[in-house]
Amino acid sequence: MSFSRLLQVTLQSPLFCFSPSSNSTLSFPFFTLPLPPTQKPLIAKASFSSNMVKAIRVHELGGPQVLKWEDVEIGEPKEGEVRVTNKAIGLNFIDVYFRKGVYKAPSLPFTPVPGSFNIEGDEVSNDSLAIGSFTGVRFPPTYYRKEHKEMIGCQRSMEAVGIVTAVGSGLTGRKVGDLVAYAGQPMGSYAEEQILPADKVVPVPSSIDPVVGASIMLKGMTAQFLVRRCFKVEPGHTVLVQAAAGGVGSLLCQWANALGATVIGTVSSKEKAAQAKEDGCHHTIIYTEEDFVARVNEITSGNGVEVVYDSVGKDTFQGSLACLKLRGYLVNFGQSSGTPDPVPLSTLAAKSLFLTRPSLMQYNVTRDELLESAGEVFTNVASGVLKVRVNHTYPLSEAAKAHEDLENRKTSGSIVLIP
């Protein structure tokens, strides 16, 4: 990145402005950098907001112990942004993927605020940014988003419900005091407060409790696109839901049942089998005690199922393929047991199977899609079609314990962190 580009990016940050104090140096609040001889001096000043909040930060990829409870600085919302005080934060397995590095995270070592800097396809990461020939530049912990340029804080979660406490200039449609929710990008909800793009938050109906809203935003919209758009479940279909007692699995079972499908669910224990039954599973399979492929074959009289929703990945992937009927769909939307092995196309050809690895982000591209998806979720919660089971709450400061319990399969239903 050129030096002029560095100036442009930094000046755009809502918490950081600077100026060269002479023709030879740039003076920042905590350090001085040499100024290239070709760069003309500017007139400006350096300043930081003193608004500090608590947040979970990740300095290295690894186990739950890398989640650190620290002070971070947050600024005021810019045009098109809102500041939100979080009331409840949803915990999802995707948070574990990012923490461990299964999904792409900033390069190591990194401090998760500021996190990832995406500028026109170039990515520079961590708190010791390497920009051109400059290293050691520490940027303020904030979120910046303008068109396709963005600086995203990397506290690991992707959904929350909170109260709008400030709005950027010129913004309409959102106001201080609104109860709002968001799910997806930008990451960073493991914090007491955060700055968000206003077009990424949705209004939460007064009938929805913040804890319920936080527990269902990401999982609910995931279930919505899986059963309504990715593979459209219809009456008469038979579906298999792997990990049927999990956060998304529970919602998939309820929604598919309400749509008129016969639902088969796999679980790890008798207790989870009972929960899956309550959630609409017509048949439950305890995969630790029996071969789920053989059992599905028995239930379907050898015909197989129209679709398998599989968030487990490596341990169930081949079995999920074997459970499909002719022209069946395997929808792999997670990999809690690890990344599946590569699949030769000839494996799919045997029964003309369809295989997809969808993402919520690609199904909620526009604001209209986002509002429609969230609206359908909230409507189904309010009507009783979806019953949200928040079985576990933890203080946000104990996020590491929550991650540990989730990975060790000590949880069922939804998990919520409370700031």
Side-chain angles (χ1 to χ4, degrees):
M1 181 182 291
S2 68
F3 189 84
S4 61
R5 187 64 178 135
L6 169 60
L7 292 181
Q8 180 184 356
V9 168
T10 308
L11 284 170
Q12 288 172 324
S13 170
L15 295 181
F16 205 113
C17 59
F18 61 87
S19 70
S21 58
S22 71
N23 289 344
S24 59
T25 64
L26 283 178
S27 297
F28 291 77
F30 310 121
F31 55 86
T32 299
L33 291 178
L35 180 66
T38 57
Q39 182 66 39
K40 295 180 180 180
L42 303 174
I43 299 174
K45 63 180 181 178
S47 63
F48 280 89
S49 167
S50 59
N51 188 14
M52 304 297 292
V53 299
K54 285 287 189 179
I56 295 292
R57 302 176 77 187
V58 180
H59 295 265
E60 59 181 330
L61 301 179
Q65 72 280 359
V66 305
L67 298 170
K68 304 298 183 183
W69 182 239
E70 299 180 356
D71 292 315
V72 299
E73 193 169 17
I74 186 171
E76 294 300 319
K78 293 172 69 77
E79 184 178 352
E81 296 178 333
V82 294
R83 188 177 69 210
V84 176
T85 296
N86 288 327
K87 296 299 182 184
I89 299 159
L91 172 58
N92 300 277
F93 219 98
I94 193 172
D95 304 352
V96 175
Y97 296 154
F98 278 107
R99 192 203 72 222
K100 295 170 70 173
V102 175
Y103 289 171
K104 186 178 180 181
S107 59
L108 296 174
F110 73 94
T111 300
V113 180
S116 177
F117 224 144
N118 291 307
I119 306 291
E120 296 178 347
D122 297 324
E123 181 169 90
V124 184
S125 305
N126 68 49
D127 70 331
S128 295
L129 289 167
I131 304 178
S133 60
F134 294 90
T135 59
V137 182
R138 189 169 184 124
F139 287 83
T142 184
Y143 302 92
Y144 173 69
R145 188 182 192 95
K146 183 178 181 182
E147 299 173 345
H148 60 282
K149 309 177 183 72
E150 58 185 359
M151 185 164 76
I152 300 173
C154 289
Q155 302 102 331
R156 285 294 97 189
S157 184
M158 302 178 73
E159 67 175 340
V161 170
I163 302 293
V164 174
T165 56
V167 298
S169 61
L171 186 64
T172 60
R174 262 74 74 197
K175 64 183 185 299
V176 172
D178 283 350
L179 183 66
V180 297
Y182 95 98
Q185 296 287 4
M187 293 181 293
S189 66
Y190 279 26
E192 293 174 327
E193 297 184 35
Q194 63 186 136
I195 303 293
L196 292 168
D199 63 353
K200 297 301 181 184
V201 303
V202 299
V204 178
S206 58
S207 59
I208 304 295
D209 182 89
V211 171
V212 171
S215 73
I216 202 171
M217 269 297 288
L218 188 63
K219 290 179 280 290
M221 291 198 299
T222 297
Q224 191 273 345
F225 90 79
L226 289 175
V227 300
R228 300 286 287 158
R229 292 185 280 166
C230 186
F231 176 88
K232 193 168 184 178
V233 174
E234 297 177 351
H237 284 164
T238 302
V239 308
L240 172 63
V241 179
Q242 301 282 17
V248 176
S250 170
L251 299 175
L252 285 173
C253 293
Q254 296 177 60
W255 210 321
N257 182 304
L259 291 171
T262 298
V263 184
I264 306 171
T266 67
V267 295
S268 61
S269 66
K270 291 181 180 178
E271 293 75 19
K272 291 186 177 182
Q275 175 187 309
K277 280 281 190 182
E278 292 178 11
D279 288 336
C281 272
H282 300 88
H283 307 275
T284 58
I285 302 170
I286 303 176
Y287 63 82
T288 56
E289 299 179 2
E290 54 187 332
D291 182 340
F292 76 83
V293 177
R295 185 76 180 98
V296 168
N297 190 58
E298 177 185 345
I299 292 169
T300 63
S301 301
N303 292 321
V305 299
E306 272 82 7
V307 60
V308 179
Y309 295 109
D310 189 336
S311 64
V312 178
K314 187 178 181 65
D315 290 352
T316 57
F317 191 82
Q318 292 298 329
S320 291
L321 283 174
C323 289
L324 293 172
K325 68 188 311 180
L326 291 176
R327 302 189 301 277
Y329 281 70
L330 172 52
V331 181
N332 174 242
F333 65 99
Q335 53 221 36
S336 60
S337 67
T339 303
D341 295 328
V343 179
L345 286 176
S346 57
T347 301
L348 305 180
K351 292 191 287 185
S352 294
L353 301 178
F354 296 87
L355 170 62
T356 182
R357 180 58 173 89
S359 166
L360 174 63
M361 312 316 164
Q362 277 70 59
Y363 278 83
N364 281 349
V365 176
T366 68
R367 180 152 180 84
D368 285 343
E369 289 174 332
L370 173 63
L371 292 173
E372 181 179 355
S373 180
E376 190 170 354
V377 171
F378 289 142
T379 296
N380 281 341
V381 172
S383 67
V385 169
L386 297 180
K387 295 179 176 61
V388 183
R389 187 180 284 104
V390 183
N391 289 343
H392 311 274
T393 61
Y394 299 78
L396 176 58
S397 59
E398 297 179 13
K401 173 61 175 173
H403 274 234
E404 181 181 355
D405 289 349
L406 177 61
E407 287 187 272
N408 290 332
R409 300 189 178 186
K410 294 181 179 179
T411 66
S412 63
S414 297
I415 306 169
V416 173
L417 306 174
I418 307 297

